[in-house]
Amino acid sequence: TSTSYRIDGIDLARFVAIAGMLVVHASTDLVMLPLERLHPDTVVPAPHGPYWAEALQGMFSNRARPLFITLAGFGLGIMAGRRGIATTTILKRAAFLATAGIVLIAIGWSDFVLVLYGVMFVMAVGLLRLRNRPLVIVIGALLLLPAILDLTVDPDSGWIGVGGIVSEIACFCAGILIARHFIAVRAPRALLLSGAVLAAPGLAFLAWNQGLNIFEVTGPRQHVAASTSTLGLCVLVIGLCDMLG
């Protein structure tokens, strides 16, 4: 009999990530498209959309994509831990993703996330060889880097700037670490609890200073709070979905 390596809970988490990204775009369109139909020749700004649409955007904006990136690291970690994966295979995937991203950018797509995936897959060749403790140190350093370097995030570009890229790489590294825990223990309650503990301080800090919507942050401390709370929520969602799966 053939052995299946599909994990229902992780597939559910991927669905949550993809659905979250779709919800962000759909809720934006619900605000803008009616205005564009009324005024097809002019761009009419929408200062406030429906409350529920804004709530959905606040919940998923810049959180669904890090979840998907965390799951990408998880997938590589699972393949490396359960079956082994050749360096050449990882590099081929990295080259494909980076090439596809460059082609899309060349034809006018503004997001370079596929190029970032390619870079992270190249990094994974070394990350997969790290033991757990050095990997935890790498994740912590990446999350704290904005505060260490006192990075200033441009409020017009949101937190997906230099610091945002660093945060997403931290999520990718965390996915590899979660996969090792998953293979060794398979304790979704531990993931859920550790995710909640990691997310709570950052969420409390953001709620006190600027609100839970992290589309824009105003300084390095807020950025660190957004990064750590987002990673915590990613871990929490993976643990919850594994329990349900």
Side-chain angles (χ1 to χ4, degrees), residues 120-141:
M120 288 190 295
F121 272 54
V122 172
M123 294 175 61
V125 174
L127 292 171
L128 289 169
R129 288 172 168 78
L130 290 179
R131 294 183 179 274
N132 289 346
R133 185 171 296 177
L135 191 56
V136 170
I137 293 173
V138 169
I139 295 168

Side-chain angles (χ1 to χ4, degrees), residues 16-18 20-21 24 59-69:
V16 171
I18 294 172
M21 289 185 283
V24 170
M59 183 185 304
F60 289 106
S61 289
N62 292 341
R63 291 189 175 102
R65 180 162 125 169
L67 174 59
F68 196 78
I69 290 174

Side-chain angles (χ1 to χ4, degrees), residues 102-128:
I102 292 170
V103 170
L104 288 173
I105 291 171
I107 62 176
W109 195 41
S110 61
D111 200 336
F112 57 92
V113 63
L114 290 181
V115 178
L116 178 60
Y117 269 104
V119 172
M120 288 190 295
F121 272 54
V122 172
M123 294 175 61
V125 174
L127 292 171
L128 289 169

Side-chain angles (χ1 to χ4, degrees), residues 13-14 16-22 24 54-71 117 159-160 164 167-168 171 199-200 202-207 210-217 222-235 237-238:
R14 290 192 180 100
V16 171
I18 294 172
M21 289 185 283
L22 291 174
V24 170
E54 291 184 354
L56 285 175
Q57 284 183 315
M59 183 185 304
F60 289 106
S61 289
N62 292 341
R63 291 189 175 102
R65 180 162 125 169
L67 174 59
F68 196 78
I69 290 174
T70 304
L71 291 166
Y117 269 104
W159 71 295
I160 301 297
S167 300
E168 292 183 342
C171 289
L203 291 175
F205 181 83
L206 291 172
Q210 67 173 58
L212 297 180
N213 189 328
I214 58 171
F215 186 74
E216 294 180 357
V217 292
Q222 286 82 356
H223 184 93
V224 171
S227 301
T228 55
S229 63
T230 296
L231 178 56
L233 289 173
C234 291
V235 177
V237 168
I238 291 172

Side-chain angles (χ1 to χ4, degrees), residues 159-173:
W159 71 295
I160 301 297
V162 175
I165 293 172
V166 170
S167 300
E168 292 183 342
I169 295 174
C171 289
F172 183 80
C173 297

